[in-house]
Amino acid sequence: MSYLGCFDLFKIGIGPSSSHTVGPMRAARRFLVELDDADFDRITKVEAELFGSLAHTGKGHATDTAIVLGLNGQLPEEVDTANVVSFIAGIAKRNRLPLLGKREVKFSPLTHIRFNLRDLLPVHSNGMMFRAYAGATLIAERAMYSIGGGFVVDEDEAFVGTARGDDHAVPYPFNSMQSLLATCADRNLSMAQVLWSNEDALRPRADTNAFLDRVAQTMFDCIDRGVAAEGRLPGGLDVPRRAHGIHQKLLAEHRGRSVMPHQVMDWVSVYAIAVNEENAAGGRVVTAPTNGAAGVVPAVLRYARDFCGGDQAKLRDFFLVASAIGALCKMNASISGAEVGCQGEVGSAAAMAAAGLASVLGASNEQIENAAEIALEHHLGMTCDPIGGLVQIPCIERNAMGAIKAISATSLAMRGDGKHHVTLDQAIETMRRTGADMQTKYKETSLGGLALAAVEC
């Protein structure tokens, strides 16, 4: 059985989208890296054609920028976010692109990247076709798909199922929450203990700890940058950054000791807003499980640390439990807004955050499952309808609401004994069916829903 672990669900990358920015960047680079050396040395021209959701909202999600960066050989986790704009401007001015940083070819983003608004590729809405030429001769052509959360597959991988994880042997494999809970009960272990055993089978514990601590610090740094930044977000909607102003008011109220109990949730909201404003500006974020939903888990993680006494060990448990929930959502439904709508992005993120928080607070395995189910259940049916194809409205506030729902779900679950009517597995299956029934215009195309509230001119 293929296994999705914490290294798969949490990826350090660049905004504004995991499926429309991170995935295409990886795909473009992979297309060139996997060519034979002889073919690569013959290339005089490369082209990329974008389909489906990538075509409809790719401009707003900086997909064209990501393609250029990927063809240049850059990786989402390493790209210098501060210099992306100037780098792209230089490519456009010179009409030259160093492929993988090795050899230059003629290249114009306006003519060599095509947004196909009419056709679809067979596997997924987020389809890309890359072509390489030697003069007028086509020497390589490959279709790839960005299936959510920065995951990229070609047609062969999609059809044989290797997109669902690597085939690593772990002691406690699972493909449903029911099977994971059964393992926990049979072994008399907590969910975190079972998941640690699996991760330990993949790599040394020190490597996992170092990765999780880096992810946590990246999330906290993103929050701190977001609450410090002022101005307006790029893209044409003229959306002002709000995290800084809200944060300043919260600090003033805290100093004045005029804080109402419910205002703790305002801190959670500003954490999520800060992250998603950074994401919308193309900053460094962690895919959790996507960029469009990148603010939920960091906000709840910060809440767990600052308001619930979560120490480093507990925060690491948070990540492992959250990643198990994200893996189940991805394996048995989808985390792609282009496939199932925002229920698969913010809904999955809220379920992940709720389960992680429940683990930090000492919940039973059954309460953890219940917390995740409650959080996901109350996002079912949510469409992905970003105005102007930008990850701004309603995405930024939606992350704040997802974080609040996650905390409420945890609280409700821990008031009970874990017994409930609808299981997490049933909620995930419902998300899959709902996404299949949802009209395409409500799945990250900006052709329906709230996206029509402010039609681009």
Side-chain angles (χ1 to χ4, degrees):
M1 179 187 297
S2 54
Y3 186 76
L4 285 173
C6 60
F7 276 54
D8 299 299
L9 269 297
F10 299 107
K11 300 183 181 73
I12 297 173
I14 182 176
S17 173
S18 53
S19 60
H20 288 57
T21 311
V22 175
M25 191 186 305
R26 291 186 181 280
R29 182 181 185 275
R30 180 179 166 186
F31 170 66
L32 294 178
V33 166
E34 295 183 357
L35 288 177
D36 291 337
D37 290 342
D39 286 338
F40 179 79
D41 291 339
R42 295 170 57 205
I43 296 175
T44 59
K45 182 176 70 171
V46 291
E47 293 179 342
E49 187 173 5
L50 308 177
F51 299 84
S53 177
L54 290 179
H56 285 287
T57 61
K59 282 287 186 182
H61 289 65
T63 305
D64 47 354
T65 293
I67 294 290
V68 175
L69 293 171
L71 293 174
N72 182 239
Q74 301 193 45
L75 289 167
E77 62 269 27
E78 298 174 358
V79 62
D80 183 356
T81 58
N83 291 321
V84 167
V85 173
S86 60
F87 175 79
I88 296 299
I91 298 298
K93 181 178 180 180
R94 295 171 55 243
N95 285 326
R96 304 283 294 179
L97 174 63
L99 299 182
L100 300 182
K102 297 177 180 179
R103 52 186 299 269
E104 286 193 345
V105 299
K106 289 184 178 180
F107 185 87
S108 169
L110 291 177
T111 57
H112 293 160
I113 300 176
R114 178 188 174 197
F115 292 82
N116 188 330
L117 300 174
R118 182 189 62 203
D119 302 317
L120 290 172
L121 294 183
V123 173
H124 192 282
S125 178
N126 290 336
M128 297 161 277
M129 184 69 75
F130 295 97
R131 301 180 181 94
Y133 296 84
T137 303
L138 178 67
I139 58 176
E141 182 179 64
R142 191 174 186 183
M144 292 192 189
Y145 301 88
S146 181
I147 60 175
F151 290 85
V152 172
V153 297
D154 62 16
E155 288 185 331
D156 292 337
E157 292 167 332
F159 286 123
V160 300
T162 56
R164 299 188 182 278
D166 294 328
D167 289 323
H168 294 305
V170 294
Y172 304 121
F174 60 92
N175 57 12
S176 67
M177 178 53 74
Q178 181 182 11
S179 63
L180 178 55
L181 287 174
T183 296
C184 293
D186 291 344
R187 301 288 178 169
N188 194 28
L189 295 172
S190 71
M191 193 176 296
Q193 288 173 322
V194 167
L195 298 170
W196 273 114
S197 294
N198 286 347
E199 296 294 335
D200 288 344
L202 301 177
R203 71 193 71 84
R205 175 71 67 96
D207 291 352
T208 303
N209 285 341
F211 171 76
L212 295 178
D213 293 345
R214 181 187 175 205
V215 167
Q217 193 58 54
T218 303
M219 288 180 171
F220 295 150
D221 288 346
C222 187
I223 290 173
D224 294 340
R225 289 196 311 273
V227 298
E230 298 181 79
R232 296 181 178 273
L233 296 174
L237 290 181
D238 200 31
V239 174
R241 285 181 178 257
R242 291 182 295 163
H244 176 76
I246 297 172
H247 188 245
Q248 291 301 306
K249 290 179 180 178
L250 288 171
L251 289 174
E253 291 169 357
H254 179 71
R255 288 191 293 268
R257 297 182 181 179
S258 60
V259 180
M260 298 292 289
H262 72 271
Q263 288 177 314
V264 170
M265 293 298 99
D266 292 343
W267 285 93
V268 177
S269 293
V270 81
Y271 297 153
I273 289 171
V275 170
N276 281 86
E277 287 179 349
E278 281 294 289
N279 179 63
R284 178 77 65 218
V285 298
V286 178
T287 297
T290 68
N291 282 23
V296 178
V297 168
V300 178
L301 187 75
R302 186 76 163 247
Y303 171 78
R305 189 195 72 175
D306 293 356
F307 292 93
C308 304
D311 58 20
Q312 188 178 49
K314 289 183 178 178
L315 297 189
R316 291 168 178 168
D317 288 349
F318 180 112
F319 280 123
L320 261 65
V321 172
S323 68
I325 305 303
L328 290 173
C329 290
K330 178 169 177 55
M331 287 190 294
N332 298 322
S334 175
I335 57 173
S336 169
E339 195 168 15
V340 297
C342 196
Q343 58 177 349
E345 298 207 28
V346 171
S348 295
M352 292 168 63
L357 179 61
S359 175
V360 168
L361 297 179
S364 68
N365 296 326
E366 291 75 20
Q367 288 172 324
I368 291 173
E369 187 261 355
N370 193 11
E373 186 279 325
I374 294 171
L376 181 59
E377 178 181 325
H378 297 290
H379 284 89
L380 292 175
M382 184 175 287
T383 58
C384 182
D385 48 359
I387 292 178
L390 298 167
V391 191
Q392 297 179 16
I393 305 173
C395 317
I396 295 172
E397 282 185 357
R398 190 167 283 177
N399 274 258
M401 300 308 297
I404 299 300
K405 284 185 182 182
I407 294 171
S408 296
T410 300
S411 182
L412 284 173
M414 294 187 69
R415 293 292 182 182
D417 58 6
K419 297 178 181 178
H420 52 109
H421 287 285
V422 178
T423 68
L424 177 63
D425 291 331
Q426 290 171 328
I428 291 173
E429 172 60 15
T430 301
M431 178 170 69
R432 186 194 66 79
R433 294 198 311 266
T434 303
D437 290 340
M438 192 180 292
Q439 293 184 44
T440 299
K441 68 180 180 180
Y442 296 117
K443 295 189 282 190
E444 208 166 357
T445 63
S446 290
L447 297 176
L450 195 63
L452 298 184
V455 180
E456 273 192 299
C457 298

